[in-house]
Amino acid sequence: MADLDIAWTRLEAAAKAAGQKRIVEFFDAEPERLEALTLDVAGLHLDLSKQAWDEAGLEAALDLAHAADVEGARARMFGGEAINGSEGRAVLHTALRAPAGADVKALGQPVMAEVESVRQRMKAFAEAVRAGEIRGATGKPFKAILHIGIGGSDLGPRLLWDALRPIKPTIDLRFVANVDGAEFALTTADLDPEETLVMVVSKTFTTQETMANAGAARAWLVAALGEQGANQHLAAISTALDKTSAFGVPDERVFGFWDWVGGRYSLWSSVSLSVAVACGWDAFQGFLDGGAAMDAHFQSAPLGKNAPILLALAQIFNRNGLDRRARSVVPYSHRLRRLAAFLQQLEMESNGKSVGPDGQPVKRGTATVVFGDEGTNVQHAYFQCMHQGTDVTPMELIGVAKSDEGPAGMHEKLLSNLLAQAEAFMVGRTTEDVVAELKAKGVPDAEIATLAPQRTFAGNRPSTLVVLDRLTPQTFGALIALYEHKTFVEGVIWGINSFDQWGVELGKVMANRILPELESGASGQHDPSTSALIQRLRK
Ligand code: F6P
């Protein structure tokens, strides 16, 4: 057996053994557990001690990372090799947050001069819009930005805006993503075209939803300002510069990026220009710096003290060792409430693959379902199932240690819930404990017999805690880079290319086939169910 197969077999055996024990008991058996499984990096505190692995399990997981040559893959990514093999591309979103003078090459070609030049243009544009030096066609300063994009051209900037937006922004930033006219109508209803800057964000500049919304926004501007006027209210962010000029965006309002930046990794690029304008450049630069700090850690920390690697290994231990096919991510932070939606694209679009780069089926399960929403809200919604459902779902709970926002006393309540949930997931509540409580309350024995099991919590449900010292541009950047590298490490260990997304193509092609059938009754070949639905919807 090859080393990697041996390492997988060891991990599976170690997980099986650990899975028969209780997590809470590991703390007694392993006096160093807390020390070994907590770490502080770039303003984040990670606690993986409530995970399902024991010492032997962790060791087996680290051996697996070693056998999969995570370190070699990491060097190839940062070295700008064509690790996205199916598209022949390097993967260098890390260059977008690297300092100007860094030596970074994509497929052997230096990239930092171009990166820095776009960054400087972004900065100048952001400052000029904020200062009212760049204005609309009728001379009014821009008070609102309409950011149009979808997927990676939407989820990251939306999350970034929520995380960093001032309490009372001077520029109102709005997002439109879906090709559902209701979203466009609701979002623009109270905007004044004279004071609105429209930013069309699309790596390819061909995405159906984005181009439909961009066309609608252009028409909305033209109706108020005329053709020439409308152009002054447009900016475009894309790698397809020929298409942006065909759309009528003046060249000086086009901000490029590169094919070595995947859509779901693009929030470090001009894709987030709208946020840089609305939050100010310093905040955006802080975000880049936080990402760079995590990059430095990921590249240099030993495997056993490497935050993205440990986070990835915990996921693999749960997914492959213990067959847990979902993970819930719950930020106890209103500002981070869209994190799970962002991670759905990052992790599931990157690693939801069934074959490797050689076209051969993978031998083990890959990406799990990721879901979640903000705590404490979810405690009053789906947490029942997390505590007492038949399936164990590993949890990731994210908190912010210090916050001065809002009314006094609330933040401690928020934190107490975060800690309580993690403890409850692990410790649970025994039937004996419940029985004693019910007896003390004088509940009759017959009732106790049926009530006690319903009030029992099995516990032993693993969780990871990530606590930001404060929610700053830097810690937020470090958090996002942490998840990016975690996703990459998982892809390396699963033996897949995390940087293409062929799985999104089929639906797009079929929608384009169905559209003329809905619009004008053209005929097409479909299964009976789809044909019947087309007929029905045409009516
Ligand atoms: O359909 C999936 C996808 O290609 C994502 O990978 C991407 O982030 C999104 O669509 C948007 O693509 P674009 O930025 O090219 O409009």
Side-chain angles (χ1 to χ4, degrees):
M1 251 200 297
D3 284 356
L4 185 57
D5 288 329
I6 295 170
W8 268 116
T9 308
R10 274 197 59 204
L11 176 102
E12 284 154 358
K16 206 169 169 200
Q20 277 152 16
K21 302 178 205 158
R22 289 189 66 79
I23 301 168
V24 70
E25 288 165 11
F26 297 153
F27 286 90
D28 290 332
E30 301 164 14
E32 309 292 316
R33 182 173 179 84
L34 204 55
E35 169 68 23
L37 287 168
T38 53
L39 63 154
D40 290 274
V41 43
L44 313 184
H45 176 73
L46 270 79
D47 183 347
L48 293 120
S49 67
K50 293 193 184 75
Q51 271 301 338
W53 47 24
D54 57 3
E55 216 169 1
L58 174 63
E59 205 176 297
L62 289 168
D63 282 352
L64 177 64
H66 190 65
D69 191 23
V70 167
E71 286 156 299
R74 180 182 63 188
R76 286 190 288 282
M77 178 171 75
F78 281 93
E81 294 183 28
I83 62 166
N84 175 1
S86 72
E87 297 178 305
R89 292 176 182 167
V91 173
L92 277 176
H93 45 277
T94 49
L96 301 169
R97 52 214 190 207
D103 174 23
V104 185
K105 294 190 180 75
L107 310 182
Q109 296 303 312
V111 299
M112 286 314 293
E114 274 189 61
V115 168
E116 188 52 21
S117 141
V118 175
R119 265 197 305 229
Q120 289 307 324
R121 283 188 58 225
M122 286 170 66
K123 182 177 180 209
F125 184 76
E127 286 171 353
V129 172
R130 287 176 69 76
E133 288 157 13
I134 293 181
R135 292 169 175 250
T138 58
K140 291 189 179 176
F142 291 118
K143 287 200 185 138
I145 297 176
L146 188 64
H147 176 121
I148 296 175
I150 197 164
S153 297
D154 167 71
L155 291 162
R158 238 186 241 251
L159 175 62
L160 181 62
W161 172 238
D162 284 344
L164 305 187
R165 60 177 287 168
I167 299 274
K168 269 184 148 187
T170 50
I171 293 184
D172 180 7
L173 175 53
R174 309 246 181 125
F175 294 85
V176 171
N178 201 356
V179 66
D180 175 348
E183 188 181 9
F184 185 88
L186 286 164
T187 311
T188 54
D190 60 344
L191 289 183
D192 178 356
E194 279 188 65
E195 297 176 340
T196 304
L197 176 63
V198 173
M199 292 192 171
V200 183
V201 186
S202 175
K203 181 175 170 183
T204 54
F205 232 70
T206 57
T207 303
Q208 186 200 50
E209 296 90 331
T210 302
M211 296 328 293
N213 278 311
R218 193 164 206 298
W220 177 75
L221 291 171
V222 169
L225 306 163
E227 281 288 340
Q228 282 312 310
N231 288 350
Q232 286 188 50
H233 288 244
L234 285 172
I237 287 87
S238 185
T239 56
L241 305 186
D242 50 331
K243 297 196 174 71
T244 57
S245 79
F247 188 74
V249 187
D251 282 354
E252 68 278 10
R253 293 282 181 84
V254 178
F255 298 84
F257 58 111
W258 303 272
D259 70 358
W260 39 261
V261 182
R264 52 195 174 273
Y265 300 86
S266 64
L267 75 167
W268 311 93
S269 73
S270 48
V271 161
S272 293
L273 179 59
S274 61
V275 185
V277 176
C279 285
W281 186 259
D282 287 352
F284 186 69
Q285 182 62 55
F287 166 65
L288 299 184
D289 293 344
M294 185 56 71
D295 293 340
H297 165 81
F298 176 52
Q299 284 184 282
S300 61
L303 293 190
K305 280 289 170 194
N306 194 303
I309 293 178
L310 285 175
L311 216 51
L313 292 177
Q315 167 94 347
I316 283 173
F317 196 83
N318 282 310
R319 200 274 176 261
N320 302 109
L322 297 166
D323 196 27
R324 288 167 181 163
R325 299 176 182 207
R327 176 168 123 270
S328 188
V329 177
V330 181
Y332 278 70
S333 162
H334 183 68
R335 285 181 173 275
L336 298 180
R337 66 194 177 283
R338 292 181 212 273
L339 182 65
F342 174 80
L343 293 182
Q344 277 169 352
Q345 189 198 18
L346 178 62
E347 299 188 10
M348 295 171 77
E349 192 168 80
S350 296
N351 288 340
K353 318 269 166 77
S354 309
V355 298
D358 55 0
Q360 295 304 308
V362 294
K363 293 187 188 152
R364 290 175 178 81
T366 59
T368 59
V369 169
V370 185
F371 67 97
D373 205 330
E374 85 187 271
T376 65
N377 304 14
V378 292
Q379 293 174 199
H380 305 277
Y382 70 83
F383 263 29
Q384 163 64 38
C385 183
M386 302 294 99
H387 281 291
Q388 289 188 315
T390 48
D391 294 320
V392 172
T393 303
M395 308 292 299
E396 216 144 273
L397 306 176
I398 290 120
V400 178
K402 287 204 173 58
S403 166
D404 311 319
E405 285 187 318
M410 282 208 189
H411 196 66
E412 290 69 24
K413 291 190 176 76
L414 187 65
L415 287 177
S416 68
N417 277 283
L418 161 72
L419 297 179
Q421 291 296 328
E423 190 171 16
F425 283 129
M426 178 172 73
V427 175
R429 192 176 185 200
T430 62
T431 308
E432 295 74 50
D433 194 29
V434 178
V435 168
E437 186 192 83
L438 293 175
K439 269 191 197 302
K441 283 187 180 156
V443 179
D445 283 356
E447 226 177 287
I448 290 180
T450 56
L451 262 187
Q454 297 177 64
R455 293 188 173 204
T456 296
F457 290 72
N460 211 29
R461 296 180 177 223
S463 66
T464 294
L465 262 86
V466 181
V467 183
L468 285 64
D469 295 346
R470 278 183 179 275
L471 180 52
T472 64
Q474 288 79 1
T475 57
F476 179 71
L479 182 74
I480 298 302
L482 168 71
Y483 279 111
E484 287 178 347
H485 294 319
K486 164 197 182 280
T487 304
F488 166 67
V489 171
E490 288 163 5
V492 171
I493 295 176
W494 284 326
I496 52 181
N497 175 5
S498 300
F499 300 104
D500 57 12
Q501 58 283 322
W502 300 108
V504 301
E505 293 305 320
L506 179 61
K508 290 184 192 173
V509 171
M510 290 172 86
N512 282 332
R513 233 180 260 155
I514 289 173
L515 184 58
E517 299 171 34
L518 283 177
E519 283 173 340
S520 62
S523 64
Q525 289 282 312
H526 301 281
D527 63 87
S529 162
T530 307
S531 294
L533 285 163
I534 291 171
Q535 289 311 316
R536 170 175 279 267
L537 293 175
R538 257 190 69 71
K539 286 184 200 143

